[in-house]
Amino acid sequence: MTRKGGSITVPPPDTVSASALLARESAAPSVEHALPLRCSDVLLEKRSEHQAVRRWNTKNLGQRLASDALAAACAGALVAPIITIIDRGIIENASGRSKLMTSISTSMKKLITRPHEFVISKPFSLIFALYFGTYITANLLDTMTSTITNSPASSVTAGPAKFIATSSANLSLCLYKDSRFTRLYGPPGIPRPVPPASYLLFALRDSMTIFASFNLPPLVAPLLPISEVAEGNVSKLSVAQFVAPAAAQLVSTPLHLLGLDLYNRPRNGVSGWQRWGKVRRDWGLSTLARMCRIVPAFGVGGVVNMRVRKGLIGSLE
């Protein structure tokens, strides 16, 4: 609006609105162009997040697998001698070949005086293969899980997958070992096939032991009444790995003894009460012996396997 002489001149309305519109369009970006750019940024961000989730932890995977095998071998070699001696003693005692303590004393003497013969013997090889196979199955499952879920390499699992995997490995290897030990140290005479009922009882026994060894410790450890001062010397998890499998033998040992008795006395004339009487007579001493066996197998062996693996894999992270 301008004053010219005595009159006022007003610009045309169309001219003002058009110029203002042009100024606004030149000063600010178009909404139609800004919106696609923002959507593309969101899509790229979501895609990068999805790729990050799907990324696997394959760092030093070959060395981690070698660490799994080495930890399992160390634990297996450590526990195999004492377990070989105790397993032979329990089976010879159940079959009547020898008293439990006599058999253990004879085997210990051989281990001390002729260790090379003991280590290369068939019973030792069977026991070593059993626990090496069990430990390495648990280790490989942990490594596979940490790789797929992109978790730290030293992380461990305690779910049903580990129970199924370790149980399958331990059951198959242990059933084969039990069949060979039962025939090696059973009653004198020609070895005969192990009955299916014995295999079933051995399988139930081992399922209980595996569950108490690999799955119960992480669940029971927080409940143990151990003070913070004592926990500075020994962790709750380490204590649980000793206590849980040992306590399970109170229930699993009768299954083991009954399976052995079905092989040792296959006659149909043996009644259930007679079998129960035999199991009850051997229950106490055999349970104690199996506790002494299980503590090295899944207590000492489990702790050694866990710590060796943690130390080796921890150095790779």
Side-chain angles (χ1 to χ4, degrees):
M1 181 182 300
T2 58
R3 182 181 295 273
K4 187 174 182 180
S7 63
I8 297 174
T9 304
V10 180
D14 293 340
T15 304
V16 175
S17 60
S19 60
L21 179 62
L22 289 174
R24 285 194 297 269
E25 290 180 351
S26 61
S30 174
V31 176
E32 289 84 4
H33 291 85
L35 185 58
L37 290 175
R38 292 175 185 172
C39 291
S40 62
D41 290 342
V42 173
L43 290 174
L44 288 173
E45 184 178 354
K46 287 186 176 296
R47 187 178 302 166
S48 63
E49 291 177 357
H50 182 65
Q51 290 175 349
V53 171
R54 293 187 60 185
R55 187 169 61 245
W56 287 10
N57 179 15
T58 58
K59 181 181 178 182
N60 298 322
L61 183 57
Q63 293 172 287
R64 286 157 55 191
L65 295 174
S67 299
D68 289 340
L70 181 58
C74 290
L78 180 65
V79 302
I82 187 63
I83 296 174
T84 301
I85 292 170
I86 293 176
D87 274 7
R88 175 177 178 174
I90 292 174
I91 294 176
E92 286 190 330
N93 180 68
S95 67
R97 273 197 172 192
S98 175
K99 295 295 183 181
L100 177 61
M101 297 310 299
T102 302
S103 175
I104 290 176
S105 176
T106 302
S107 297
M108 286 292 294
K109 183 178 179 180
K110 182 177 181 180
L111 175 61
I112 295 171
T113 59
R114 292 173 290 170
H116 58 289
E117 293 183 10
F118 186 92
V119 170
I120 63 174
S121 66
K122 183 181 294 184
F124 178 89
S125 300
L126 289 169
I127 297 295
F128 174 79
L130 165 62
Y131 288 100
F132 172 78
T134 301
Y135 294 136
I136 198 171
T137 299
N139 293 347
L140 292 177
L141 181 67
D142 288 336
T143 296
M144 181 184 69
T145 302
S146 65
T147 300
I148 294 175
T149 61
N150 196 22
S151 302
S154 58
S155 61
V156 296
T157 60
K162 174 175 279 189
F163 173 69
I164 294 172
T166 52
S167 292
S168 299
N170 186 269
L171 280 172
S172 57
L173 292 170
C174 199
L175 288 177
Y176 176 73
K177 182 271 299 180
D178 282 334
S179 66
R180 299 300 299 271
F181 264 63
T182 302
R183 299 179 65 175
L184 282 171
Y185 304 120
I190 300 175
R192 55 184 175 275
V194 177
S198 294
Y199 280 118
L200 178 60
L201 291 167
F202 293 157
L204 291 175
R205 173 207 65 195
D206 291 335
S207 296
M208 295 175 61
T209 301
I210 287 292
F211 182 78
S213 301
F214 287 98
N215 292 78
L216 275 186
L219 303 176
V220 172
L223 306 176
L224 294 177
I226 299 177
S227 65
E228 294 182 0
V229 177
E231 198 170 358
N233 299 319
V234 59
S235 67
K236 290 184 178 181
L237 183 59
S238 296
V239 174
Q241 285 192 288
F242 283 94
V243 173
Q249 302 314 302
L250 294 170
V251 181
S252 65
T253 297
L255 302 178
H256 177 67
L257 295 175
L258 181 58
L260 292 176
D261 192 61
L262 290 173
Y263 175 84
N264 295 333
R265 298 191 295 174
R267 298 183 300 274
N268 294 329
V270 181
S271 67
W273 282 109
Q274 289 175 314
R275 295 194 186 280
W276 167 244
K278 173 64 174 173
V279 169
R280 186 176 57 186
R281 285 193 300 271
D282 294 339
W283 192 347
L285 191 58
S286 296
T287 297
L288 182 60
R290 283 187 61 79
M291 283 183 176
C292 295
R293 171 197 186 279
I294 291 300
V295 168
F298 292 104
V300 175
V303 171
V304 169
N305 176 62
M306 177 184 65
R307 291 189 175 179
V308 172
R309 180 181 184 272
K310 183 178 180 179
L312 292 173
I313 292 185
S315 65
L316 301 175
E317 290 183 321

Coordinates of all heavy atoms in Angstrom, one line a residue, residues 204-244:
L204 N 16.6 -95.3 32.6 CA 16.0 -94.5 33.6 C 17.0 -94.0 34.6 O 17.0 -92.8 35.0 CB 14.9 -95.3 34.3 CG 13.7 -95.7 33.5 CD1 12.7 -96.6 34.2 CD2 12.9 -94.4 33.0
R205 N 17.9 -94.9 35.0 CA 19.0 -94.5 36.0 C 19.8 -93.3 35.4 O 20.1 -92.3 36.1 CB 19.9 -95.7 36.2 CG 21.1 -95.5 37.0 CD 22.2 -96.5 36.7 NE 22.6 -96.3 35.3 CZ 23.3 -97.3 34.7 NH1 23.6 -98.4 35.3 NH2 23.7 -97.1 33.4
D206 N 20.2 -93.5 34.1 CA 21.1 -92.4 33.6 C 20.3 -91.1 33.3 O 20.9 -90.0 33.4 CB 21.7 -93.0 32.3 CG 22.7 -94.1 32.5 OD1 23.3 -94.1 33.7 OD2 22.9 -94.9 31.6
S207 N 19.0 -91.2 33.0 CA 18.3 -90.0 32.8 C 18.2 -89.2 34.0 O 18.3 -87.9 34.0 CB 16.9 -90.3 32.3 OG 16.9 -91.0 31.0
M208 N 18.0 -89.9 35.2 CA 17.9 -89.2 36.4 C 19.3 -88.5 36.8 O 19.4 -87.4 37.2 CB 17.6 -90.1 37.6 CG 16.1 -90.7 37.4 SD 15.8 -92.0 38.7 CE 16.0 -91.0 40.2
T209 N 20.4 -89.3 36.5 CA 21.7 -88.7 36.8 C 22.1 -87.5 35.9 O 22.6 -86.5 36.4 CB 22.8 -89.9 36.6 OG1 22.4 -90.9 37.5 CG2 24.2 -89.3 37.0
I210 N 21.7 -87.6 34.6 CA 22.0 -86.5 33.7 C 21.3 -85.3 34.1 O 21.8 -84.2 34.1 CB 21.7 -86.9 32.3 CG1 22.7 -87.9 31.8 CG2 21.6 -85.7 31.4 CD1 24.1 -87.3 31.6
F211 N 20.0 -85.4 34.4 CA 19.2 -84.3 34.8 C 19.7 -83.6 36.1 O 19.8 -82.4 36.2 CB 17.7 -84.7 35.1 CG 16.8 -83.6 35.4 CD1 16.3 -82.7 34.5 CD2 16.4 -83.4 36.7 CE1 15.5 -81.7 34.8 CE2 15.6 -82.3 37.1 CZ 15.1 -81.5 36.1
A212 N 20.1 -84.5 37.0 CA 20.7 -83.9 38.3 C 22.1 -83.3 38.1 O 22.5 -82.5 38.9 CB 20.8 -85.1 39.3
S213 N 22.8 -83.7 37.0 CA 24.1 -83.2 36.8 C 24.2 -82.0 36.0 O 25.0 -81.1 36.3 CB 25.0 -84.3 36.2 OG 25.0 -85.5 37.0
F214 N 23.4 -81.9 35.0 CA 23.5 -80.7 34.1 C 22.4 -79.7 34.2 O 22.6 -78.5 33.9 CB 23.5 -81.2 32.6 CG 24.8 -81.9 32.2 CD1 24.9 -83.3 32.2 CD2 25.9 -81.2 31.8 CE1 26.1 -83.9 31.9 CE2 27.1 -81.8 31.5 CZ 27.2 -83.2 31.5
N215 N 21.2 -80.1 34.7 CA 20.1 -79.2 34.7 C 19.8 -78.7 36.1 O 19.4 -77.5 36.3 CB 18.9 -79.8 34.1 CG 19.0 -80.0 32.6 OD1 19.7 -81.0 32.2 ND2 18.4 -79.2 31.8
L216 N 20.0 -79.5 37.1 CA 19.6 -79.1 38.5 C 20.6 -78.1 39.1 O 20.2 -77.2 39.8 CB 19.5 -80.3 39.4 CG 18.2 -81.0 39.4 CD1 18.2 -82.1 40.5 CD2 17.0 -80.1 39.7
P217 N 21.9 -78.2 38.9 CA 22.9 -77.3 39.5 C 22.6 -75.8 39.3 O 22.5 -75.1 40.3 CB 24.2 -77.7 39.0 CG 24.1 -79.2 38.7 CD 22.7 -79.3 38.2
P218 N 22.3 -75.3 38.1 CA 22.0 -73.9 37.9 C 20.7 -73.5 38.6 O 20.6 -72.3 39.0 CB 21.9 -73.7 36.4 CG 22.7 -74.9 35.8 CD 22.4 -76.0 36.8
L219 N 19.8 -74.4 38.8 CA 18.5 -74.1 39.4 C 18.6 -74.2 41.0 O 18.0 -73.4 41.7 CB 17.4 -75.1 39.0 CG 17.2 -75.1 37.4 CD1 16.2 -76.2 37.1 CD2 16.8 -73.8 36.9
V220 N 19.5 -75.1 41.5 CA 19.6 -75.3 42.9 C 20.6 -74.4 43.5 O 20.4 -74.0 44.7 CB 20.0 -76.8 43.2 CG1 20.3 -77.0 44.7 CG2 18.8 -77.7 42.8
A221 N 21.6 -74.0 42.8 CA 22.7 -73.2 43.3 C 22.2 -71.9 44.1 O 22.7 -71.6 45.2 CB 23.7 -72.8 42.2
P222 N 21.3 -71.1 43.5 CA 20.9 -69.9 44.2 C 20.2 -70.2 45.6 O 20.1 -69.3 46.4 CB 19.9 -69.2 43.3 CG 20.2 -69.8 41.9 CD 20.7 -71.2 42.2
L223 N 19.7 -71.4 45.8 CA 19.0 -71.8 47.0 C 19.9 -72.3 48.1 O 19.4 -72.5 49.2 CB 17.9 -72.8 46.7 CG 16.9 -72.5 45.5 CD1 15.9 -73.6 45.3 CD2 16.1 -71.2 45.9
L224 N 21.1 -72.6 47.8 CA 22.0 -73.1 48.8 C 22.4 -72.1 49.9 O 22.7 -71.0 49.5 CB 23.3 -73.6 48.1 CG 23.2 -74.8 47.2 CD1 24.5 -75.2 46.5 CD2 22.6 -76.0 47.9
P225 N 22.3 -72.5 51.1 CA 22.6 -71.6 52.2 C 24.1 -71.4 52.5 O 24.6 -71.8 53.5 CB 21.9 -72.2 53.4 CG 22.0 -73.7 53.1 CD 21.9 -73.8 51.6
I226 N 24.7 -70.7 51.5 CA 26.2 -70.5 51.6 C 26.4 -69.0 51.8 O 25.9 -68.2 51.1 CB 26.9 -71.0 50.4 CG1 26.7 -72.5 50.2 CG2 28.4 -70.7 50.4 CD1 27.3 -73.1 48.9
S227 N 27.2 -68.7 52.8 CA 27.5 -67.3 53.1 C 28.4 -66.6 52.1 O 29.0 -67.3 51.3 CB 28.1 -67.1 54.5 OG 29.4 -67.8 54.5
E228 N 28.4 -65.3 52.0 CA 29.2 -64.6 51.1 C 30.7 -64.8 51.3 O 31.5 -64.9 50.4 CB 28.9 -63.1 51.1 CG 27.5 -62.8 50.6 CD 27.2 -61.3 50.7 OE1 28.2 -60.5 51.0 OE2 26.1 -60.8 50.3
V229 N 31.0 -65.0 52.6 CA 32.4 -65.3 53.0 C 32.9 -66.6 52.4 O 33.9 -66.8 51.8 CB 32.6 -65.2 54.5 CG1 34.1 -65.6 54.8 CG2 32.3 -63.8 55.0
A230 N 32.0 -67.6 52.6 CA 32.3 -69.0 52.1 C 32.3 -69.0 50.6 O 33.1 -69.7 50.0 CB 31.3 -70.0 52.6
E231 N 31.4 -68.2 50.0 CA 31.3 -68.2 48.5 C 32.6 -67.6 47.9 O 32.8 -67.8 46.7 CB 30.1 -67.5 48.1 CG 29.7 -67.7 46.7 CD 28.3 -67.2 46.3 OE1 27.7 -66.6 47.2 OE2 27.9 -67.3 45.2
G232 N 33.4 -66.9 48.7 CA 34.6 -66.4 48.2 C 35.6 -67.5 47.9 O 36.6 -67.3 47.1
N233 N 35.5 -68.6 48.6 CA 36.4 -69.8 48.3 C 35.8 -70.8 47.4 O 36.5 -71.4 46.6 CB 36.7 -70.4 49.7 CG 37.4 -69.5 50.7 OD1 38.2 -68.7 50.3 ND2 37.0 -69.6 51.9
V234 N 34.5 -71.0 47.4 CA 33.9 -72.0 46.5 C 32.5 -71.4 46.1 O 31.7 -70.9 47.0 CB 33.7 -73.3 47.2 CG1 32.9 -73.3 48.5 CG2 33.1 -74.4 46.2
S235 N 32.2 -71.5 44.8 CA 30.9 -70.9 44.4 C 29.7 -71.9 44.7 O 29.9 -73.1 44.8 CB 31.0 -70.7 42.9 OG 31.1 -71.9 42.2
K236 N 28.6 -71.3 44.7 CA 27.4 -72.1 44.9 C 27.2 -73.1 43.8 O 26.7 -74.2 44.0 CB 26.1 -71.2 45.0 CG 26.1 -70.4 46.3 CD 24.8 -69.6 46.4 CE 24.7 -68.8 47.7 NZ 23.4 -68.1 47.8
L237 N 27.5 -72.7 42.6 CA 27.3 -73.6 41.4 C 28.2 -74.8 41.5 O 27.8 -75.9 41.2 CB 27.6 -72.8 40.1 CG 27.4 -73.6 38.8 CD1 25.9 -74.1 38.7 CD2 27.7 -72.8 37.6
S238 N 29.5 -74.6 42.0 CA 30.4 -75.7 42.2 C 29.9 -76.7 43.2 O 29.9 -77.9 43.0 CB 31.8 -75.2 42.5 OG 32.3 -74.4 41.5
V239 N 29.3 -76.2 44.3 CA 28.8 -77.1 45.4 C 27.6 -77.8 44.8 O 27.4 -79.0 45.1 CB 28.4 -76.2 46.6 CG1 27.7 -77.1 47.6 CG2 29.6 -75.6 47.2
A240 N 26.7 -77.1 44.1 CA 25.5 -77.8 43.5 C 25.9 -78.9 42.5 O 25.2 -79.9 42.5 CB 24.7 -76.8 42.8
Q241 N 27.0 -78.7 41.8 CA 27.4 -79.8 40.9 C 27.9 -81.0 41.6 O 28.0 -82.1 41.0 CB 28.5 -79.2 39.9 CG 27.9 -78.3 38.9 CD 28.9 -78.0 37.8 OE1 29.8 -77.3 38.0 NE2 28.6 -78.5 36.6
F242 N 28.3 -80.9 42.8 CA 28.7 -82.1 43.6 C 27.5 -82.7 44.3 O 27.3 -83.9 44.3 CB 29.7 -81.7 44.7 CG 31.1 -81.5 44.2 CD1 31.6 -80.3 43.8 CD2 31.9 -82.6 44.1 CE1 32.8 -80.1 43.4 CE2 33.2 -82.4 43.6 CZ 33.7 -81.2 43.2
V243 N 26.6 -81.9 44.9 CA 25.5 -82.3 45.7 C 24.4 -83.0 44.9 O 23.9 -84.0 45.3 CB 25.0 -81.2 46.6 CG1 23.7 -81.6 47.4 CG2 26.1 -80.7 47.6
A244 N 24.0 -82.3 43.8 CA 22.8 -82.8 43.1 C 23.0 -84.2 42.5 O 22.1 -85.0 42.7 CB 22.5 -81.8 42.0

